Amino acid sequence: MSELNKNVLQQANAAVTRGDNEGFLACCTDDLVWSTVGGETLHGKEAVRAWMVDGYAEPPRFTVRELVAEGDLVVALGDIESQDEQGNTVQNAYSDVWRFREGKMAELRAFVVPVKV
């Protein structure tokens, strides 16, 4: 199960990088809970879809350094490059903790830390 969950997360991340938000959302449960530690929490696939319109207007680029899976959890550690509102490139280190349910991503706890380049 752990390897299957890792594969789903890799498929979902690839969709985001391509700008395919619907492909990403297809990997999620309808009642997805998306929390950014120190930030907002989104409840439900529709809320995440609405956030992605602006939040992922320019698709981010992920570099996954490690994927660790156990039981229904998958932890991704890596770097993410995105654009801010002014179009400037922003570098962050991140750790995403995903909880899976029935083969889909059901909960995210994202830890995102700015990195000075």
Side-chain angles (χ1 to χ4, degrees):
M1 186 63 119
S2 295
E3 285 301 313
L4 291 175
N5 291 344
K6 284 169 64 173
N7 289 338
V8 169
L9 178 56
Q10 289 170 323
Q11 177 185 0
N13 280 346
V16 167
T17 300
R18 289 191 310 272
D20 180 8
N21 294 343
E22 290 305 314
F24 170 85
L25 292 167
C27 298
C28 301
T29 62
D30 288 339
D31 63 345
L32 171 66
V33 176
W34 174 304
S35 300
T36 302
V37 175
E40 66 183 314
T41 298
L42 305 172
H43 296 274
K45 193 184 281 191
E46 290 305 316
V48 174
R49 179 179 281 116
W51 177 86
M52 292 176 105
V53 169
D54 292 324
Y56 285 170
E58 178 70 30
R61 288 180 291 273
F62 295 92
T63 302
V64 178
R65 306 252 180 242
E66 296 179 62
L67 276 180
V68 180
E70 184 171 331
D72 64 351
L73 294 177
V74 177
V75 177
L77 301 167
D79 304 300
I80 185 168
E81 183 178 288
S82 60
Q83 303 293 315
D84 65 14
E85 294 81 23
Q86 291 76 38
N88 300 311
T89 299
V90 177
Q91 300 281 345
N92 291 292
Y94 79 96
S95 176
D96 283 350
V97 180
W98 285 98
R99 182 173 305 280
F100 282 73
R101 186 173 68 243
E102 298 175 1
K104 291 197 172 196
M105 301 182 309
E107 179 185 356
L108 168 64
R109 285 175 286 155
F111 299 81
V112 182
V113 180
V115 176
K116 299 209 184 229
V117 182

